[in-house]
Amino acid sequence: MPGVPVKPYLPFRLEKLSLQEYQKRRDFSRSPEPTARKQSSTKGNIYSIQEHHASRLHWDLRLEKDGVLLSWALPKEPPGEPGIRRLAVRTEDHPLDYAWDRGQYQMLADKPGEEIVFRIEGKKLSGTYCLIKMKKGENNWLFFKKSSAS
Ligand code: MN
């Protein structure tokens, strides 16, 4: 998918985008990245979003769940207001050590593999946000802010 600086993970189903995938895709002797291990933060609800100046600028959205960070790559800037929908491409889970610029989130609704609704308390984003899996594209999700009325 053009404009998205992540490797194509299309052969993998969502449940296989695990820490094992993360571990497999990295050479830790050459990379300073954290090794794959599960742990938990104190509250277990880290929210993190990072502007990543890779070969193509993108934003990494991460939500702590069950000792890992569920991860999506957003090709465009995350929406601060309702009414803007962004593509979010699911990438492999990351270790908790990956989170910086931390905030917290509260899960409001979680249908695994379909829809996640959560309240973010971060520095740049705050409010109720939604991730909905698109029918087309194995790892393509929509990411948007809900209006406070909904
Ligand atoms: Mn990235």
Side-chain angles (χ1 to χ4, degrees), residues 96-111:
L96 291 194
D97 302 352
Y98 235 86
W100 62 112
D101 188 25
R102 289 183 184 203
Q104 290 170 345
Y105 79 98
Q106 178 190 357
M107 188 69 81
L108 300 179
D110 181 15
K111 297 182 199 166

Side-chain angles (χ1 to χ4, degrees), residues 5-6 50 52 54 58-60 62 73:
V6 292
Q50 189 222 2
H52 188 176
H58 64 277
W59 285 259
D60 291 308
R62 306 192 199 283

Side-chain angles (χ1 to χ4, degrees), residues 1-14 16-17 21 24-25 73 89-92 137-140:
M1 113 152 275
V4 181
V6 292
K7 293 172 190 167
Y9 296 130
L10 297 183
F12 299 95
R13 297 194 159 277
L14 272 189
K16 293 203 176 157
L17 294 173
E21 280 307 312
K24 261 186 359 198
R25 290 168 192 277
V89 181
R90 180 80 189 268
T91 59
E92 75 272 28
E138 187 73 27
N139 297 315
N140 291 347

Side-chain angles (χ1 to χ4, degrees), residues 2-149:
V4 181
V6 292
K7 293 172 190 167
Y9 296 130
L10 297 183
F12 299 95
R13 297 194 159 277
L14 272 189
E15 53 270 28
K16 293 203 176 157
L17 294 173
S18 60
L19 273 187
Q20 285 90 333
E21 280 307 312
Y22 173 93
Q23 187 86 33
K24 261 186 359 198
R25 290 168 192 277
R26 284 162 179 79
D27 178 356
F28 292 99
S29 65
R30 298 192 314 167
S31 162
E33 293 172 290
T35 54
R37 61 191 164 97
K38 287 192 179 188
Q39 55 186 125
S40 270
S41 69
T42 309
K43 292 184 177 176
N45 62 342
I46 291 171
Y47 143 80
S48 160
I49 201 156
Q50 189 222 2
E51 189 173 317
H52 188 176
H53 292 265
S55 55
R56 287 179 194 244
L57 174 65
H58 64 277
W59 285 259
D60 291 308
L61 166 64
R62 306 192 199 283
L63 300 175
E64 177 181 5
K65 192 178 181 204
D66 300 330
V68 300
L69 294 171
L70 308 185
S71 301
W72 288 263
L74 283 64
K76 292 187 177 177
E77 187 168 357
E81 300 296 332
I84 305 162
R85 289 174 178 228
R86 293 298 195 223
L87 175 66
V89 181
R90 180 80 189 268
T91 59
E92 75 272 28
D93 298 343
H94 279 59
L96 291 194
D97 302 352
Y98 235 86
W100 62 112
D101 188 25
R102 289 183 184 203
Q104 290 170 345
Y105 79 98
Q106 178 190 357
M107 188 69 81
L108 300 179
D110 181 15
K111 297 182 199 166
E114 293 179 40
E115 180 178 344
I116 302 172
V117 184
F118 50 101
R119 185 182 311 282
I120 290 174
E121 296 169 36
K123 290 177 183 171
K124 293 193 174 180
L125 300 188
S126 64
T128 302
Y129 279 78
C130 207
L131 277 162
I132 293 182
K133 189 170 185 311
M134 298 166 74
K135 290 199 171 72
K136 289 185 179 178
E138 187 73 27
N139 297 315
N140 291 347
W141 296 60
L142 278 178
F143 178 57
F144 56 92
K145 184 177 187 176
K146 299 187 85 168
S147 64
S148 49

